[in-house]
Amino acid sequence: MTTAFQKSSVAVTKAIMEFLDMKTVIRDHAASYADPVVLNAGDPIRLTGEKEVWDGHAWLWAEGPDGKAGWVPDTIVQSSHGKLYARHDYSAMELTCFEGETLSIAMETHGWAWCRSADGRQGWVPLRNLAQREP
């Protein structure tokens, strides 16, 4: 049986072939949602009108086709013929991590980094909780 975590990790990881950087966790981060919104490119999105600016970046509260809702970066939303769609695959899966851990970084957007832990877990971590790893 495939879990929501595995599905969301696969959706984002498909587009990411290699992790580009290593960073150290300087502040613990606990994942906010156990079963976050996951979107595939082209999925219809329903926006509630709720918007939040976090570290200078716009986030929109969106609902995916499966009814799961969560914050998505404003850049993922695409409009076509009066309807809204996901521009690319996106998972809101966050990674719970602890000070001192070293994480591999695949990509950064909207003040967050998609990370992989040493034990293979993946998800988003706020950039403000990470620092460049000391050599």
Side-chain angles (χ1 to χ4, degrees), residues 81-103:
H81 305 293
K83 296 186 180 184
L84 301 175
Y85 299 92
R87 184 180 307 278
H88 55 78
D89 291 352
Y90 177 76
S91 168
M93 177 64 69
E94 294 179 34
L95 178 64
T96 296
C97 54
F98 303 95
E99 184 177 342
E101 277 187 76
T102 298
L103 303 175

Side-chain angles (χ1 to χ4, degrees), residues 2-8 33-39 43-48 60-72 90-93:
T2 304
T3 66
F5 171 77
Q6 289 167 325
K7 287 179 185 174
S8 63
Y33 307 99
D35 195 17
V37 63
V38 176
L39 301 168
D43 278 352
I45 301 173
R46 187 181 75 77
L47 297 179
T48 65
L60 309 173
W61 190 259
E63 185 177 297
D66 60 1
K68 291 181 188 174
W71 293 108
V72 300
Y90 177 76
S91 168
M93 177 64 69

